[in-house]
Amino acid sequence: MRTIEAIQPQDCTPSNGKLSIVIPLFNEAEMIPHLFLRLEKITQLIELKTEVILVDDGSNDNSWLEICNYSPANFDLNAITLSRNFGKEAALSSGLQAVNSDVVIILDADCQDPPELIPQMLQAWSNGAEVVNMKRRSRQGETWLKRKTARLYYRLLGVLSETPIPENVGDFRLLSRRVVDEINRMGERNLYMKGILSWPGFHQNTIGYEREARVAGSTKWSYWRLVLLAISGITAFSNKPLRLASWMGAIVAMSSFAYAMWVMLRTLIFGDPVSGYPSMMIVILFIGGIQLITIGILGEYVGRIFTEVKGRPNYIIREIHTKPAKAQTKNQQHPASI
Ligand code: UDP
Ligand code: MG
């Protein structure tokens, strides 16, 4: 077993005063010129040397071409393309693995997370925060149903999750290198990034912001995909549904016992030849339903154990493309100067 003294020196990445902006994207060709424009404007104002890590999550439009044809002026461009669409969570994970800097900011490619807030996030970091959570004050461009279900889901997750997962905070965050190193060590296959990014803890700071509507293109998340993500979040961060299944079983067993007693007594006292078909059907269907729900809950966990045990990689990289900034003369020595 390694002692704390033995762990610290070799696991701490040396400081290089660099910022990485990690952006997963899927079929965002229309968005890319606008994204680069906004990134150029903001990185010009930041003193830190900046690299932008774009992860093309197996797009089948011109996204990769747009990325490769671009020559950045104010940031180094490191782009990764995956062998197919692995989902945003996996794309983000591959971006975090590629990070080589002191501080990391995660953005969406559709500019719903405004890059203009980066200096404010860096300010919080230089004041000592190791994680800066960007909390959505409003959700423009989202339907009433999505807003309400999101609210309900965060409440449910808050009750169920053993790790505190902040409400209305997506993947738009700043993470210090230490936090990213811990996340990269986790090696989970069932990726639920909102939970994974919150799990390491560390000194947190929260900044509220107005979430803009998409500039171009459309959301890649259907309601069904969101439901699957929601289930994945609950099962990855809580064992309470399993406990709920046991409690449901216990309550049903106890009430069936009480009902059986009552039926027995009634038959002994009053005699009851053949009636009772409707009540019997109700009981059978009710217990059958509870059993199926319980098996379903078990199945969700067993399926996830299966995924973990197979140990397949979360993503496969097809190609890497790097292009340094045309002229970066930025400070690499003083992370606090932003
Ligand atoms: N995205 C991805 N892989 C996917 C789906 C989405 O990398 O399979 C990216 C997408 O390009 C965007 C970000 O994840 O940069 C957020 O997606 P989107 O805007 O569709 O989600 P929403 O903002 O509607 O929740
Ligand atoms: Mg979006």
Side-chain angles (χ1 to χ4, degrees):
M1 206 175 84
R2 290 195 294 166
T3 61
I4 290 185
E5 292 75 31
I7 292 171
Q8 277 176 349
Q10 69 227 42
D11 290 350
C12 283
T13 320
S15 158
N16 58 7
K18 237 172 96 175
L19 161 71
S20 296
I21 303 175
V22 176
I23 309 176
L25 62 96
F26 174 58
N27 288 348
E28 302 281 9
E30 288 175 73
M31 264 315 303
I32 289 173
H34 182 82
L35 173 71
F36 279 140
L37 194 74
R38 281 175 75 169
L39 285 174
E40 289 289 4
K41 276 190 192 154
I42 198 69
T43 48
Q44 198 175 18
L45 303 176
I46 299 170
E47 281 289 310
L48 293 181
K49 186 170 162 65
T50 307
E51 66 167 352
V52 171
I53 303 179
L54 282 177
V55 184
D56 170 23
D57 186 13
S59 299
N60 39 38
D61 64 357
N62 281 337
S63 299
W64 185 241
L65 209 69
E66 291 271 352
I67 294 168
C68 293
N69 286 340
Y70 187 74
S71 299
N74 298 308
F75 53 83
D76 294 333
L77 179 63
N78 294 327
I80 300 169
T81 182
L82 304 182
S83 59
R84 64 169 171 84
N85 179 238
F86 283 90
K88 183 188 176 185
E89 316 291 288
L92 190 51
S93 163
S94 77
L96 291 179
Q97 292 282 352
V99 156
N100 172 29
S101 60
D102 279 346
V103 60
V104 179
I105 290 179
I106 302 168
L107 290 183
D108 277 358
D110 55 7
C111 294
Q112 282 198 279
D113 308 331
E116 291 71 26
L117 295 177
I118 292 176
Q120 206 182 332
M121 297 166 86
L122 288 171
Q123 192 59 54
W125 171 68
S126 61
N127 288 342
E130 279 161 289
V131 175
V132 182
N133 296 316
M134 300 304 284
K135 194 176 171 112
R136 299 166 191 181
R137 271 196 234 115
S138 66
R139 293 163 155 259
Q140 287 174 37
E142 290 183 4
T143 60
W144 177 87
L145 187 66
K146 190 167 173 188
R147 285 200 305 269
K148 287 288 164 202
T149 43
R151 192 175 168 77
L152 210 70
Y153 174 67
Y154 277 119
R155 286 275 153 86
L156 182 68
L157 195 61
V159 173
L160 294 179
S161 169
E162 279 119 35
T163 313
I165 300 176
E167 192 176 337
N168 277 328
V169 177
D171 299 327
F172 184 25
R173 296 170 202 226
L174 174 148
L175 306 167
S176 76
R177 181 56 194 261
R178 251 205 76 210
V179 182
V180 174
D181 284 345
E182 295 304 333
I183 290 168
N184 286 343
R185 270 215 296 230
M186 284 166 74
E188 277 188 45
R189 311 281 148 188
N190 295 296
L191 296 172
Y192 179 67
M193 276 323 220
K194 284 179 197 52
I196 289 176
L197 299 177
S198 304
W199 186 84
F202 289 99
H203 182 52
Q204 315 250 333
N205 194 323
T206 302
I207 298 176
Y209 79 106
E210 304 295 328
R211 188 159 161 88
E212 294 174 9
R214 242 180 190 277
V215 177
S218 60
T219 176
K220 309 290 177 295
W221 297 86
S222 62
Y223 271 108
W224 179 240
R225 226 173 144 183
L226 283 174
V227 169
L228 294 182
L229 184 73
I231 295 175
S232 140
I234 291 173
T235 48
F237 283 87
S238 175
N239 287 333
K240 286 184 187 151
L242 288 172
R243 218 165 295 145
L244 181 76
S246 317
W247 280 107
M248 272 196 313
I251 291 168
V252 170
M254 280 191 292
S255 5
S256 332
F257 183 73
Y259 184 60
M261 284 294 144
W262 186 73
V263 170
M264 220 158 70
L265 277 177
R266 198 184 55 177
T267 315
L268 284 176
I269 297 167
F270 304 109
D272 191 8
V274 272
S275 72
Y277 175 76
S279 55
M280 186 136 59
M281 282 310 286
I282 291 169
V283 171
I284 290 174
L285 291 177
F286 178 66
I287 295 182
I290 296 271
Q291 280 174 338
L292 287 179
I293 292 173
T294 312
I295 294 171
I297 294 175
L298 277 177
E300 286 294 333
Y301 284 90
V302 172
R304 279 168 176 81
I305 297 170
F306 185 47
T307 310
E308 294 291 341
V309 168
K310 278 187 291 188
R312 287 183 192 159
N314 283 330
Y315 54 85
I316 301 171
I317 294 177
R318 184 168 62 84
E319 207 180 318
I320 294 177
H321 166 87
T322 54
K323 212 171 229 178
K326 271 185 213 143
Q328 268 222 41
T329 49
K330 289 184 179 177
N331 188 356
Q332 283 198 56
Q333 301 306 319
H334 306 291
S337 56
I338 48 173

